[in-house]
Amino acid sequence: MEQYEKIYLYKRIVSAKLFIDKFYADSIDLDDIADQANFSKFHFIRLFKSIYSLTPKNYLIHLRIEKAKELLREGHSVLATGLMVGLESPTSFAGMFKKITGQSPSHFQKSETTRKNEMNKYPLRFIPNCFAETHGWKE
Amino acid sequence: MITRITHTSVYVLNQDSAYDFYVNKLGFKVHTDVPMGKDARWLTVTPPEQPELEITLFLIIEGSMFDKETVQTMTSLIRKGTFGAAVFTCKDLLATYEELKSKGVVFKKPPTKEFYGYEALFLDDSGNWFSLAQINS
């Protein structure tokens, strides 16, 4: 019986995490998620952190920054990227981005664009030679 | 003296589908994705917390590396689930199991207690199987 209760508990926490994964770009109220999962806010935060090593709030911030990295790589502007991941204030977006990645969004985008251009121009520089030779890939 | 492993390969039957599986379902990060020729690309992914280990999603395709017979044999063996490709670890197996199942990942073995912790086995979209373990600290 204890095992079933544990599985039920896990399903609720995982579904809360998947909810954040799906709606990270919206204005998510973590109190609502805790309510929906039938937990007190304190209990929810404690369980979530024990599984994912981050509080739900910090998990949401990290997820938004990861998604922002993808959007910046795709060439979206810094301003648009912040909005697309649910961070409306450009200043707070840039601040969070730098705090987590160690570089500003524009600096990150510039270095990723340089890498992408180089990858397209000189693909074999990114492939160990043994594999390229085996495939018959040449410059 | 050998010091580290930087690249390892998983043979896959379709790189688009493998991309979806490893990136969107398992949550791996794309490291390098370069088109190489008409039908193939050099595609490597990394586990989220191990960015220095590139897993090459290696397409089984007829060409300089594999002849037609080899492609047929390997395709058949991979589809049959012959190859175990790696052991992945996670902090919490039960949570990871529930999440991956909800994303449609097929498990050959549910989380089971072992002497070193817990282990489950899952299949990728091609048919390679992997151990997913939570190791006792």
Side-chain angles (χ1 to χ4, degrees):
Chain A
M1 191 63 192
E2 200 178 301
Q3 181 68 8
Y4 287 115
E5 278 173 18
K6 196 177 172 190
I7 290 170
Y8 179 59
L9 200 69
Y10 267 79
K11 281 184 190 288
R12 283 154 63 197
I13 292 290
V14 168
S15 91
K17 189 251 185 196
L18 292 173
F19 181 87
I20 298 173
D21 287 348
K22 192 169 179 186
F23 296 107
Y24 67 89
D26 297 338
S27 173
I28 292 182
D29 186 337
L30 295 174
D31 285 340
D32 288 345
I33 299 175
D35 286 347
Q36 275 182 12
N38 284 322
F39 287 120
S40 72
K41 190 177 170 186
F42 174 77
H43 192 43
F44 172 61
I45 291 172
R46 195 174 60 81
L47 283 172
F48 193 98
K49 193 174 178 189
S50 76
I51 292 174
Y52 297 110
S53 304
L54 289 169
T55 62
K57 188 180 172 189
N58 281 336
Y59 174 76
L60 174 61
I61 291 170
H62 277 79
L63 179 64
R64 283 175 164 166
I65 299 305
E66 280 305 309
K67 298 289 181 187
K69 284 158 82 175
E70 289 171 20
L71 293 167
L72 290 168
R73 279 192 193 103
E74 288 169 12
H76 294 277
S77 73
V78 173
L79 185 65
T81 298
L83 292 170
M84 286 162 84
V85 298
L87 293 166
E88 288 176 11
S89 154
T91 318
S92 69
F93 168 55
M96 269 180 208
F97 193 95
K98 182 151 192 182
K99 190 177 171 191
I100 290 174
T101 67
Q103 48 187 331
S104 68
S106 53
H107 187 267
F108 172 85
Q109 188 170 46
K110 197 176 168 192
S111 60
E112 287 294 309
T113 305
T114 304
R115 182 173 184 268
K116 193 175 170 184
N117 290 341
E118 194 167 332
M119 204 182 280
N120 287 329
K121 201 170 176 186
Y122 309 108
L124 291 181
R125 292 184 188 173
F126 294 83
I127 303 172
N129 191 47
C130 54
F131 289 110
E133 272 187 357
T134 318
H135 277 89
W137 293 334
K138 291 174 187 159
E139 289 279 8
Chain B
M1 177 174 77
I2 293 173
T3 52
R4 296 170 67 241
I5 177 167
T6 62
H7 292 73
T8 186
S9 299
V10 174
Y11 292 111
V12 300
L13 305 180
N14 180 305
Q15 282 179 313
D16 290 339
S17 159
Y19 182 106
D20 181 57
F21 183 84
Y22 285 85
V23 176
N24 299 328
K25 290 195 166 73
L26 298 191
F28 284 23
K29 305 287 176 199
V30 176
H31 185 283
T32 307
D33 189 359
V34 195
M36 292 305 296
K38 196 164 94 21
D39 301 316
R41 65 212 246 216
W42 180 254
L43 175 61
T44 72
V45 295
T46 66
E49 294 187 13
Q50 205 174 3
E52 71 285 1
L53 173 62
E54 288 182 65
I55 300 171
T56 308
L57 302 178
F58 216 107
L59 183 65
I60 307 286
I61 188 172
E62 194 179 336
S64 337
M65 191 160 172
F66 306 116
D67 60 24
K68 192 176 176 182
E69 189 188 345
T70 307
V71 170
Q72 284 172 348
T73 306
M74 287 191 64
T75 300
S76 161
L77 289 171
I78 289 169
R79 282 212 177 107
K80 270 171 70 179
T82 308
F83 301 117
V87 178
F88 295 126
T89 58
C90 60
K91 183 169 176 269
D92 193 309
L93 181 58
L94 206 47
T96 310
Y97 170 74
E98 288 297 336
E99 179 172 343
L100 294 181
K101 251 196 349 175
S102 79
K103 291 178 176 175
V105 174
V106 175
F107 279 81
K108 280 177 71 164
K109 175 181 149 186
T112 307
K113 194 165 174 45
E114 307 289 354
F115 70 91
Y116 48 80
Y118 288 89
E119 183 191 50
L121 297 181
F122 69 88
L123 295 166
D124 76 1
D125 57 300
S126 292
N128 300 296
W129 59 265
F130 294 87
S131 164
L132 179 60
Q134 178 185 330
I135 310 291
N136 290 332
S137 50

